[in-house]
Amino acid sequence: MAQPPPFPSRLPPPFRAFPPPFPGPAVRPAPFAVGPVAPPPFFLPPPTGEGGPRFPPGVPYLGDEPGWARAREEAEMALRELREVVRPLREPGYGEALRRKAERARKRRLRLQRRKHEARAAKEEEAARAAEREAKIDQWRAKCIQEVEEKNRERELKAAADSVLSEVRKKQADTKRMMDVLRGLEKLRKLRKEAAARKGVCPPPSADEAFENQVESLKTLLKTRTELYEAEERALRVMLEGEQEEERKREMEKKQKKEREKLLQQKLEIDSKLFGDPAEFPLVHLLQPFRDYYLQAEHSVAALIQIRHEWDQYLVPADHPEGSCIPPGWVLPSLPTNDTWATAVR
């Protein structure tokens, strides 16, 4: 490869104002030999022949005056663009505006984060409510399934008891029919024996004894079976009566529960009319002291006796003109007589 030419003693116009990157030959120390000097690292030598080095297009090299002029114009244009970009930063109110913009961005970011947290919390709360609803639905479904299964078991048990009872009754009917057959055989033998006696034919006493023994054994067997079937029937009847009693008891409990719920709802409605809606004061009810005063007899026997004694002081005969019976419950206020009073009551 061909060597680049030595560094010239005089530089072209674009580089005359810059000092050399290292001392020239005249100021070098004497012990060093003066010879061909390589060009500085930021100077590109001119391209050589076809086998020499090649440089990218548009990159100026030493002695390329038009290329350096273009590079200088591009640098000046970039400098102007940079100054245009930096100029707003030097204005008096730009820093304050930038701070306000940053504050708005920060507040907006915090607001978005808060909304995101609120949305997440609302979603979790909705999921918790949905889970609670699902749990209640599952509980209600399990309760319904249990009730249906209990009813099916009771129905099956009742059907089985009825079938067993019908079989027992059928066996009892068969036993009764067999007893009737035995009585018919005895009557038939008696009639035949009488007919034979009129003809002069008398059976031996051993035949009568054998017949009577056989009939007695059959009667004893049928009697034992009849007692057994009667015992089974009584047991089945007791079981069916017990089931019916339990069914009536459950129906009565359901009816009493509905009555209690109805009375409780009526009591809540009366309390809301007298003392206001408790939902309006979920934390501290304003009328709670009055409620405690009027309901103290429900929690204290001494208070009940004292209140009863105070009421007994006003007992008068039934025909007293100024007397009246004690009300069984709360005395509800009368309806408003005009619209103005109605608005005040509401």
Side-chain angles (χ1 to χ4, degrees):
M1 181 182 295
Q3 295 292 331
F7 190 75
S9 59
R10 295 179 62 84
L11 299 176
F15 303 98
R16 289 177 183 175
F18 298 96
F22 47 85
V27 295
R28 287 185 177 181
F32 295 94
V34 180
V37 181
F42 52 85
F43 290 148
L44 297 176
T48 57
E50 185 176 354
R54 297 292 181 181
F55 302 98
V59 179
Y61 54 86
L62 190 60
D64 187 8
E65 295 294 338
W68 287 108
R70 287 195 304 272
R72 184 172 59 253
E73 291 176 359
E74 293 175 358
E76 291 176 354
M77 186 180 298
L79 181 60
R80 286 195 299 270
E81 293 177 357
L82 183 61
R83 286 175 178 173
E84 289 294 331
V85 173
V86 177
R87 184 173 58 185
L89 298 176
R90 298 179 180 177
E91 294 180 358
Y94 186 78
E96 186 65 23
L98 189 61
R99 280 193 296 272
R100 288 196 301 269
K101 187 176 181 180
E103 184 66 20
R104 285 196 300 270
R106 187 182 66 83
K107 290 181 179 179
R108 181 174 178 273
R109 185 170 60 253
L110 292 176
R111 186 168 60 254
L112 292 177
Q113 291 178 358
R114 186 170 61 254
R115 289 180 180 176
K116 189 175 181 181
H117 291 322
E118 291 176 356
R120 186 184 299 112
K123 188 175 180 181
E124 292 177 355
E125 185 177 359
E126 181 64 25
R129 287 197 297 268
E132 186 177 358
R133 287 195 299 269
E134 289 292 334
K136 290 182 179 179
I137 291 172
D138 294 339
Q139 185 178 2
W140 173 79
R141 185 182 302 164
K143 184 179 179 181
C144 292
I145 292 173
Q146 184 178 1
E147 291 179 356
V148 171
E149 289 179 353
E150 288 180 357
K151 289 182 179 179
N152 291 333
R153 284 195 299 270
E154 292 174 0
R155 191 181 300 111
E156 292 175 357
L157 185 60
K158 187 176 180 181
D162 291 339
S163 64
V164 173
L165 185 60
S166 64
E167 291 179 1
V168 170
R169 288 176 178 175
K170 183 178 179 182
K171 291 178 181 179
Q172 287 178 348
D174 294 339
T175 305
K176 186 177 180 181
R177 188 172 63 253
M178 293 177 68
M179 292 290 292
D180 294 338
V181 170
L182 286 178
R183 284 194 292 269
L185 286 175
E186 289 179 349
K187 188 180 293 186
L188 179 62
R189 179 175 175 78
K190 183 178 180 181
L191 293 174
R192 287 184 177 182
K193 187 177 179 181
E194 290 177 355
R198 285 195 298 268
K199 293 179 181 180
V201 179
C202 295
S206 60
D208 294 340
E209 186 178 357
F211 179 78
E212 291 177 359
N213 291 335
Q214 191 70 24
V215 170
E216 287 297 328
S217 64
L218 290 175
K219 284 183 178 181
T220 303
L221 178 61
L222 291 176
K223 185 178 180 181
T224 305
R225 292 289 181 88
T226 302
E227 293 176 356
L228 178 62
Y229 296 154
E230 289 178 355
E232 290 182 359
E233 183 181 6
R234 286 194 298 271
L236 290 174
R237 287 185 179 278
V238 169
M239 183 174 64
L240 291 175
E241 289 177 359
E243 292 178 358
Q244 293 175 359
E245 184 66 25
E246 290 180 358
E247 184 67 24
R248 287 193 296 269
K249 187 177 180 181
R250 282 194 293 268
E251 292 294 333
M252 185 62 68
E253 289 179 355
K254 289 181 180 179
K255 187 176 180 180
Q256 292 177 356
K257 184 178 180 182
K258 289 182 180 179
E259 292 293 334
R260 286 195 299 269
E261 291 177 354
K262 185 177 179 181
L263 292 176
L264 180 61
Q265 185 65 27
Q266 292 177 357
K267 184 177 181 298
L268 292 177
E269 291 178 359
I270 293 174
D271 290 346
S272 64
K273 290 179 181 178
L274 292 173
F275 304 107
D277 190 2
E280 298 179 359
F281 310 99
L283 298 179
V284 180
H285 203 290
L286 297 178
L287 299 177
Q288 189 63 33
F290 300 95
R291 292 173 59 87
D292 295 339
Y293 175 75
Y294 286 110
L295 299 178
Q296 60 181 334
E298 297 182 1
H299 308 285
S300 175
V301 179
L304 175 62
I305 296 174
Q306 177 65 25
I307 293 172
R308 186 66 189 180
H309 176 68
E310 293 176 358
W311 275 102
D312 291 343
Q313 294 178 358
Y314 298 94
L315 292 178
V316 294
D319 56 349
H320 196 278
E322 296 181 357
S324 61
C325 62
I326 299 175
W330 293 106
V331 180
L332 298 178
S334 59
L335 297 176
T337 56
N338 52 28
D339 297 337
T340 305
W341 177 241
T343 56
V345 170
R346 293 192 188 96

